Structures are given as structure tokens and as C-alpha cells.
Amino acid sequence: MDNAKPKLFTPFNVITGLILLVGIPICLYRFMGGLGAVTNLDNNNPFGLWIAFDVLTGVALAAGGYTIGTIVYIFGMKEYHPVVRPAILTAFLGYFLVGVGLAFDVGRPWRMPYPFFMSQGFTSVMFEVAACVALYLTVLFLEIAPVALEWLRMKALRNILVKATIGLTIFGVVLSTLHQSSLGSMFLIVPNKIHPLWYSTFLPIYFFVSSMIAGLSMVIFESSLSHKAFKNIIDAEPHPFDHDKIVMGLGKAAAIVMFGYFGIKVIGVAHGNHWHMLATPYGLWFLVEMVGFVLVPCFLYALGVRAGNVKLVKFTSFLAVFGVVLNRFNVCLVAFNWELPMSERYFPSFMEFMVSLTLVTAGLVAFKWIVTRMPVLTEHPEFRESH
Amino acid sequence: MSISRRGFLKIAGIGGAGAIAGAALPAAASESDFEGYPDRYGMLTDVSKCIGCRSCEAACNKQNKLPKPETPFEDLSVLDTKRRTTAQAYTVVNKYNTRGSSEPAFRKLQCNHCNEPACVSACFVKALTKTKEGPVLWNDKLCVGCRYCMIACPFYIPTYEYDNAFSPRVMKCTMCADKVAKGDGAPACAEACPTEAITFGKRSDLMALARERIRTAPDKYIDHIYGETEVGGLGWVYISHVPFDDVGLPTNLGGTPYPKFTKNALAAVPMIVVLWPVVLGGVYAFARRREAIDKQTRENAVANAIETTRADTQAKADQAREAALKRAASQAENEKKKAVKEAVDKALEEAKQQQSGEAPKEGGA
């Protein structure tokens, strides 16, 4: 594209380079020294940062793929088409990293195909999660493949895949519904270990509905960042689209879903009759999550949309995303083992943070590599309007 | 019929659950339908008899060929700190200050070999099984190491070899399944116990023994066998002279077998697989139909507009032609009149000239 020799020492390259330089040796050390060498996991706390962040958060934040896919291809709202490809690319990279993250977390990663080919534990929620994530990663691969095929000008294969879009989208929504909710179902088996304000028989529904919030908000957040970072690519597009209008529409949808989510969370507290617990330290933390990162962003979205304030909607998307991350951390780590004394609780080690950071960085580098080469943020001139 | 608010919310919640994901029906009212394998083995701990000598720990360590601990088993000072099972110790004895007695009580921790174990249902490769003989066993050949069994266990029992990089194992009490299967007596801990605080036998016999002990010493024992109903029944049951809570046996676990907590959520999977494509396909069909109708409406509107324009143009053209014709006709008429007038004038002029010319000619002649 640009004939000038690309600069090597850009801020992006320097920062990601440094992270990878520190992170990759730690990643290797995990496999040479075992989980005990790099993590603070113990017998009371078998799930740590890599499950809370790499898996639970990763899957939730990759929900933009199925959310936008549904809006555009199933609801037929074509005006959101320009954000479909970046959303699906983000989802694909996200799920890929979830798989990589799992490989770090399980004790014998080379056995990861076992649940499919050796011995099926159908009574385990983990089985459902594994099966759906594996299948959905395949679906996302097929959904994003046309981007690479257009880049490689492999027209025939690309056209076959594009024809399968509706089928793949519906299958993807089925799988997403299943495993987004199943990540919540996983914690149904620990009624005695999770604080009652977070434990609920509705956990699967909470996880599913909040994944929509994460999906919508991530698309706003991520596409806004892309618009800044890849301005030169987008400005070169001969048919520019109105990004602000898309942000506003998604913000409106997110406000409505968040309002519904807040409602069902209140029902959960009422259902368990846990009102009195709100006045405890855990209750206050619950209120921080529910008010600070659900109700407030819900109103800010609504306000931003009514006032036509794009900046406010973009800022709110960050709050909303953070709220979902906070929820996953609360269920998996903060409210988990809440009755154990502090000395038996878990806090991630520096090396665990570094591995997670390394995975996110690898994802960013891959995203950048792809969008600067393939038709993701723009349309390929030879395939314009044909998808 | 009156429904309490909570009851109503429950119903509403169930409806919502069914509608959205169908995933969260509370465990059915009926408890375990599974009575447990008949004739299965079990263990009975009589907390009142335990003196905290750690003989069971030493015997377990030897039987299972576990690494020697840093502090020898004879050192009872370790009892002063709360311990749990580890990858190096399938069983540990803890000392408890209790409400019922001024003397401390001791209780041995190990796998309870539940009738319907949470860990077994949680394993996604069936590496954990509940054998019909009674023990819950882990299979080294299948385990992937996800550690969901450790999350699921309500008693914090399974442990993991975090420091083993290449073949980390889930470690827990096996009720000496190999030893018993060989006919080599009872599990090592039961054989080693100097006070007969641990009894091995058919679970049904142990239940009878426990009842008998409580019946013969009702003032001494709490009138409850821990593990008779807890989490659907344990293979390892307890009787005690002090409250069970005080010796670290949680009494808030309820009688629902733990696999039930996830069973309904899993049951929703085929529902979603079948229904979601129908619902989404329907929404898609609606969207397509609306799009088609919109397109048709648009096309009709365009066609109408074209038709109207064409008719308009035609009419205007006709009018213009008419007007032009009229104008042409009137112009022709005028010209004709003018021509006639001119001709007449000319004729008259000529006639006049002729007349006047003839007259002088005539006059001059």
C-alpha cells in the first residue's frame, strides 16, 4: 500500500514488543515448570485469572460476533453492515485466544481433544462449553474466511462461503446462546461456595444477557478505536459510511438490553430474598457492580443517544464493557470462596497477569496485521456490494 | 389461591428462564431418585472416639506411597493449625474447639465418596467415576486437568499436582479400592485407628451401626447421622458428640445431590438447539418478507410515478400540439385572409388603374 518503508519503532510496536519480550518466556516457563511455577492457584482456588479473564471475559467480549451477525443478517438491518467484519474478526481472534488461554490453564493441554474423541462426559457443563466453543470457533473461521479469500482473490471458494452466511449466522447464535449461558451454568454446581448475591439459578440467563451488553458495547468501543487507529485506511474508502449513526443505534440497543439485565438481576435478589445482604461489605460491592457499571452506563447510553452526543456513547461503551468484565471476575474470583479466610483466598501472580497480557497483545498484533492487509474495515474493490 | 410475592417471582422467573434460555429451572422438588448402589462399601467416623493421634494419616501415606511429610506423623503440633487435604496427603486430622465440650474434638478429613458426586458429574471426560463398590475413583488415563471437579466438590477435597509440569494428577482418597478389591482387609486408615473411630463395611450395615450407637447413648451423640441425606447421601458417614458445624462438616449443604444443580441447565441444550433455528429462521423470514414488501411497494411507487409522468407529458404534448395547430390554423387563416385581402386590394388597384388609364386614353383618343 504505502511505498515508504514502514517504520519499525512506532509506539505500538515498541509497547507490544516489550510485552511480548517479557511475556513469551513466561509462557514457555508455564509449560516447562508447570502451573505451580507461574500461578498462585491452589487446592482451594483451582480457577484463577486465566479462567476469569482469558476464558470467561474473553468469551463475553467476543460476543460482538453473534450480536452484530444477528442484527445484520437475521434482523436485516443492513445499515450496520460496515461493522460486521471487524466484529467477526474480533470474535474469531477472541475465541482463538480463549482456546490458547485454556491450553495454558489445563494441566495436560495435549489432551484437549479428549472430550470429543476419547470419552464424553455429557453430564458436565464443561463438556458443553468445550463442545460449543470448539464448534463456534470453526463457525467463526468460516465466517471470517471470505476476508482472507478476497485478499487472495480466491473468488469461487469465497462465493460458496458467502452463500452460507445465513446458515452460519443462525448456527453461531445457537452455539453462542449455549456456551455464553453455560459459562454461567458452570457455577450452578457451587451454591455453597459463591456469595448468595452472585449465586442464582438464573446465572445462565445473566451470563447470556450480559454477553449481549458486552457484544454491543465492544463493537462501539472497538470500532471507535479502529476509526482512530486506522483512519488512513478508512478515509481511503470511496464509499464512506456514517460511523456515528451506527454508534448511536448500538448505544440505544445496549441501553435497552442493560435496562432489562438490571431488571432480571433485581428479580434474582428478590427471588432469593437477599435484600438484607445489600448492607454488608459484599452487598456494597454488589451495588457497585449493579449501579456503577450497569445502571449508570444504561442511563448514560440513553442520555447520549437522546442528546445526540456520540462522545458520551463511546465513553459509556467502555464503562459497560468494564461492567461485564467486573461481573465475570466477581462470580469467578471475588464472590467465589467468600466464606474462606483471607489467607486461603486467591490473588493472581505477576506471571499470571503477564501471560494474560501477552495473549491480549498477540490478539491486537494479529488484528492490526489483518486489517492493514485484508478487506475488513473497507470493502475489496472487486467484491463491492456482493455480500 | 394466594401466591406470595416470592412464589410469584419464582413462577415469573421460571417463565422467563424458559423463554430466554430455559436454563435455570430450580432443582425439582423431589430429591434423589437414586438410592445408591446396593451393597456398596462405606465408612463410618465416630467423631467422639477420635483422639487426634494421626495414625490414620501415617497409614494412608504408607498405603498410597505418598511422599514423607516434613514434620513426622508423631508430631502432633500440626494439629494447632487448620489443614486440608493436599496432593501429598489424602487425609488429615484437624483439631476443633467446640460448643458441646470443653475438650477439643478431632475430625479426619478425606473424600466422602458421595452417592451422587458433584465431581463425577462435573468431569467432561468421565475421568471420575462412582464405582458400584462405593469408592469414587479418578482415572489417570483420561484427565485433562481442567480442575472443575475441585470447583464442584462441596467439601474441598480433590487436590492437584500443580508442580508437576508433564503429568499432573488429581489426588484424593480412593477408600483403598485396590486393597479392598484384593481382599486385603479394610482401608489402611480404618485398620490403623487405635480407637476404632473409623469403621469400614457395607454402607447399609454402617447406617445400622450408627443408629445403634446413637440409640444406646442418646445423651452423648447428636441425633443425626451426617451423610445419611447430605448432598444426596455420602459414602462416608459421621456421628458426633459435638455439633457437626463445629468439626468442619457444613450443615447448610441441603439434601439435593449436586449433579441436580446443573442437570436442568443441561437439559435446556437440546431445546435451544431445536428451537433457536426455528425462532431465528422465523425472524429472518419476517425480515425478508418485509424487505420484499418494501421493495414491491417501492417498485409500485416508481412504476406509478413513471406512469403518471408519462400521462402528464402526453397530455401536455397533446395540449401543446393542439395549441400549435390552432395557432397554425389561425395563422393560416390570417394569411389566407391577408392574401385574399391583398389579392382583392391588388385586383381593385389594378381595376382602378385600368379604369383611370383607359379614361385618359379614351379621352385622348
Side-chain angles (χ1 to χ4, degrees):
Chain A
M1 261 178 249
D2 41 338
N3 298 323
K5 207 177 162 195
K7 269 199 270 173
L8 192 61
F9 291 101
T10 61
F12 178 86
N13 287 358
V14 170
I15 294 169
T16 54
L18 280 177
I19 292 171
L20 296 180
L21 204 66
V22 179
I24 290 171
I26 296 175
C27 292
L28 294 176
Y29 185 44
R30 143 70 188 96
F31 291 106
M32 300 313 291
L35 284 165
V38 294
T39 71
N40 280 348
L41 297 174
D42 60 35
N43 290 322
N44 288 331
N45 303 286
F47 284 178
L49 181 71
W50 295 345
I51 294 293
F53 183 75
D54 302 6
V55 178
L56 296 183
T57 304
V59 168
L61 298 194
Y66 90 86
T67 317
I68 297 296
T70 306
I71 288 173
V72 172
Y73 294 121
I74 296 177
F75 295 166
M77 302 184 185
K78 301 245 161 73
E79 62 269 34
Y80 295 99
H81 198 270
V83 289
V84 165
R85 281 190 166 181
I88 289 178
L89 176 62
T90 311
F92 173 70
L93 292 174
Y95 275 87
F96 185 77
L97 291 175
V98 166
V100 176
L102 270 173
F104 277 86
D105 190 76
V106 300
R108 307 193 202 187
W110 49 91
R111 286 186 174 181
M112 277 165 72
Y114 273 29
F116 311 116
F117 303 111
M118 289 289 286
S119 176
Q120 292 79 27
F122 293 122
T123 57
S124 172
V125 178
M126 189 71 91
F127 179 81
E128 198 210 321
V129 172
C132 286
V133 169
L135 281 173
Y136 189 47
L137 185 57
T138 314
V139 167
L140 284 169
F141 175 75
L142 295 175
E143 283 187 302
I144 201 65
V147 169
L149 294 174
E150 286 178 11
W151 180 55
L152 299 167
R153 294 194 172 72
M154 294 168 76
K155 212 163 191 165
L157 193 55
R158 177 259 181 209
N159 288 345
I160 293 171
L161 284 176
V162 167
K163 279 203 186 90
T165 301
I166 288 299
L168 287 173
T169 304
I170 290 182
F171 192 39
V173 179
V174 170
L175 294 170
S176 294
T177 309
L178 290 177
H179 69 257
Q180 293 285 2
S181 63
S182 294
L183 288 174
S185 309
M186 256 171 53
F187 294 95
L188 287 177
I189 205 156
V190 283
N192 63 320
K193 291 186 183 176
I194 292 185
H195 190 281
L197 283 171
W198 282 274
Y199 182 86
S200 164
T201 47
F202 304 129
L203 266 173
I205 295 167
Y206 293 159
F207 269 55
F208 178 54
V209 176
S210 55
S211 81
M212 292 181 217
I213 299 171
L216 293 165
S217 302
M218 267 306 275
V219 173
I220 298 175
F221 184 61
E222 177 265 315
S223 68
S224 302
L225 287 184
S226 289
H227 263 245
K228 268 201 188 128
F230 304 109
K231 203 170 180 306
N232 53 339
I233 300 178
I234 289 163
D235 285 351
E237 171 73 22
H239 304 287
F241 60 91
D242 189 351
H243 182 246
D244 288 354
K245 206 177 149 205
I246 289 177
V247 166
M248 287 307 207
L250 295 175
K252 189 174 171 185
I256 295 167
V257 177
M258 288 182 101
F259 196 67
Y261 176 67
F262 185 80
I264 58 173
K265 288 289 275 191
V266 172
I267 289 174
V269 177
H271 177 74
N273 202 9
H274 295 135
W275 300 108
H276 63 286
M277 289 179 167
L278 293 177
T280 64
Y282 272 99
L284 291 179
W285 184 238
F286 182 76
L287 288 175
V288 167
E289 182 194 322
M290 289 318 301
V291 176
F293 295 98
V294 180
L295 206 55
V296 166
C298 171
F299 281 127
L300 288 182
Y301 265 140
L303 205 68
V305 171
R306 296 239 356 138
N309 187 340
V310 184
K311 268 199 178 137
L312 180 61
V313 174
K314 286 179 181 175
F315 167 75
T316 307
S317 73
F318 172 75
L319 271 190
V321 166
F322 185 80
V324 178
V325 177
L326 183 65
N327 173 258
R328 300 306 191 258
F329 272 75
N330 279 344
V331 171
C332 185
L333 299 179
V334 178
F336 188 81
N337 277 343
W338 69 290
E339 285 181 307
L340 291 188
M342 274 318 284
S343 60
E344 292 171 29
R345 299 295 301 274
Y346 159 89
F347 194 83
S349 69
F350 169 72
M351 287 196 275
E352 282 177 273
F353 278 116
M354 277 315 296
V355 168
S356 291
L357 191 60
T358 303
L359 291 186
V360 172
T361 308
L364 278 177
V365 171
F367 186 85
K368 188 182 175 216
W369 193 87
I370 293 170
V371 299
T372 48
R373 281 162 182 79
M374 304 183 197
V376 176
L377 299 170
T378 56
E379 291 189 327
H380 194 293
E382 290 168 32
F383 298 92
R384 198 171 296 284
E385 303 294 338
S386 62
H387 49 82
Chain B
M1 191 181 89
S2 74
I3 300 178
S4 69
R5 185 181 60 177
R6 199 178 152 186
F8 168 75
L9 287 172
K10 206 167 190 169
I11 294 164
I14 292 168
I20 300 169
L25 299 178
S30 69
E31 295 300 1
S32 173
D33 305 315
F34 179 61
E35 295 288 320
Y37 296 110
D39 282 344
R40 66 192 183 282
Y41 287 116
M43 306 282 276
L44 169 68
T45 294
D46 187 334
V47 177
S48 72
K49 292 188 177 194
C50 181
I51 54 168
C53 68
R54 301 186 70 204
S55 304
C56 52
E57 288 186 39
C60 176
N61 177 282
K62 196 176 157 207
Q63 175 68 32
N64 293 296
K65 301 185 178 68
L66 296 171
K68 284 275 158 256
E70 277 173 34
T71 40
F73 289 108
E74 294 74 32
D75 185 348
L76 298 185
S77 65
V78 295
L79 293 173
D80 293 331
T81 49
K82 186 186 154 201
R83 294 181 298 155
R84 60 152 292 157
T85 53
T86 67
Q88 294 80 39
Y90 293 169
T91 186
V92 291
V93 177
N94 275 337
K95 183 163 84 175
Y96 301 92
N97 294 316
T98 65
R99 284 170 285 179
S101 157
S102 55
E103 295 286 302
F106 302 92
R107 207 250 316 169
K108 176 184 175 308
L109 282 70
Q110 76 295 306
C111 175
N112 287 321
H113 301 277
C114 305
N115 290 344
E116 292 180 69
C119 61
V120 170
S121 82
C123 183
F124 73 157
V125 284
K126 289 194 219 157
L128 282 154
T129 44
K130 170 76 176 172
T131 60
K132 62 180 191 302
E133 291 80 17
V136 174
L137 299 177
W138 172 82
N139 184 348
D140 192 20
K141 292 202 170 65
L142 291 175
C143 180
V144 181
C146 74
R147 307 184 301 285
Y148 188 37
C149 53
M150 299 165 67
I151 293 282
C153 176
F155 300 106
Y156 291 95
I157 293 302
T159 68
Y160 201 61
E161 289 186 318
Y162 286 104
D163 293 323
N164 184 340
F166 301 107
S167 54
R169 293 172 295 173
V170 169
M171 307 291 273
K172 69 165 205 68
C173 160
T174 62
M175 216 199 265
C176 288
D178 288 346
K179 184 173 185 288
V180 173
K182 265 189 263 170
D184 186 15
C189 56
E191 286 184 340
C193 183
T195 62
E196 294 185 339
I198 312 165
T199 316
F200 171 73
K202 293 267 155 65
R203 187 177 182 273
S204 49
D205 296 342
L206 295 175
M207 292 302 293
L209 175 64
R211 278 193 202 99
E212 182 62 15
R213 283 195 195 162
I214 293 172
R215 196 182 63 77
T216 50
D219 295 338
K220 181 179 164 192
Y221 288 105
I222 303 281
D223 186 16
H224 179 67
I225 304 170
Y226 190 94
E228 181 173 13
T229 57
E230 277 76 7
V231 299
L234 307 180
W236 198 303
V237 296
Y238 304 80
I239 52 174
S240 173
H241 61 303
V242 290
F244 292 106
D245 269 329
D246 290 3
V247 289
L249 286 166
T251 50
N252 60 353
L253 298 181
T256 307
Y258 266 42
K260 282 238 160 109
F261 288 115
T262 48
K263 199 176 170 186
N264 289 315
L266 285 169
V269 169
M271 289 301 207
I272 291 170
V273 170
V274 175
L275 269 182
W276 238 201
V278 176
V279 172
L280 295 171
V283 172
Y284 174 66
F286 278 127
R288 282 296 294 266
R289 184 162 179 275
R290 203 182 50 206
E291 211 174 280
I293 289 173
D294 284 354
K295 199 177 159 203
Q296 191 62 52
T297 314
R298 217 165 35 239
E299 275 170 4
N300 287 348
V302 168
N304 273 343
I306 290 172
E307 191 50 48
T308 322
T309 318
R310 187 185 290 143
D312 261 14
T313 321
Q314 186 67 43
K316 265 184 199 149
D318 285 354
Q319 248 173 3
R321 213 179 75 210
E322 206 107 310
L325 275 175
K326 241 185 214 164
R327 228 178 11 251
S330 72
Q331 204 174 348
E333 188 77 9
N334 282 347
E335 264 166 30
K336 197 172 138 197
K337 271 186 191 160
K338 207 173 151 197
V340 168
K341 197 177 169 240
E342 266 174 20
V344 169
D345 285 354
K346 204 179 167 191
L348 282 174
E349 188 72 17
E350 273 175 12
K352 236 187 213 170
Q353 266 178 9
Q354 215 170 10
Q355 219 172 31
S356 64
E358 265 176 21
K361 208 179 178 180
E362 268 173 29

